[in-house]
């Protein structure tokens, strides 16, 4: 199952296929939890390396953007 991702929504759809729904209420925490779940799915060899790397790249980029955005609020 090789897949590339463009947005957090795409990653959420992948997680949903495994029955994983993430909503903590704080977007930054949601992204961090999604990163943990993607790592676990990859470690259990349920997704290939390219899918893992693509999903993590999207999540890391979005995580950084959210951190910068929250710093501007403060």
């Amino acid at each position: 199952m090789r897949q590339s991702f463009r947005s957090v929504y795409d990653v959420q759809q992948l997680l949903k296929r495994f029955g994983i729904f993430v909503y903590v209420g704080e977007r930054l925490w949601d992204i961090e939890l999604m990163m943990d779940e993607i790592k676990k799915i990859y470690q259990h060899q349920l997704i290939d390396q390219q899918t893992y790397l693509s999903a993590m790249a999207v999540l890391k980029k979005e995580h950084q953007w959210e951190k910068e955005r929250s710093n501007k609020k403060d």
Side-chain angles (χ1 to χ4, degrees), residues 5 7-15 34 38 55 58-59:
F5 303 92
S7 68
V8 173
Y9 176 78
D10 295 336
V11 177
Q12 288 174 318
Q13 295 309 302
L14 172 66
L15 291 171
M34 283 188 263
I38 290 293
V58 167
L59 293 174

Side-chain angles (χ1 to χ4, degrees), residues 65-74:
W65 185 82
E66 283 294 329
K67 279 178 68 174
E68 289 172 6
R69 194 180 86 146
S70 70
N71 287 340
K72 288 179 183 178
K73 286 183 182 178
D74 296 337

Side-chain angles (χ1 to χ4, degrees), residues 18-70:
F18 292 98
I20 300 168
F21 297 83
V22 175
Y23 181 76
V24 177
E26 177 69 37
R27 184 151 172 86
L28 196 57
W29 299 343
D30 288 346
I31 293 167
E32 290 170 358
L33 184 54
M34 283 188 263
M35 291 169 110
D36 288 341
E37 293 297 334
I38 290 293
K39 285 177 190 174
K40 289 177 187 173
I41 290 170
Y42 176 67
Q43 289 170 346
H44 286 91
Q45 300 177 352
L46 299 173
I47 57 175
D48 64 20
Q49 184 178 27
Q50 184 60 39
T51 300
Y52 167 74
L53 293 173
S54 179
M56 289 301 285
V58 167
L59 293 174
K60 286 177 183 178
K61 180 180 174 184
E62 193 70 20
H63 187 269
Q64 183 62 36
W65 185 82
E66 283 294 329
K67 279 178 68 174
E68 289 172 6
R69 194 180 86 146
S70 70

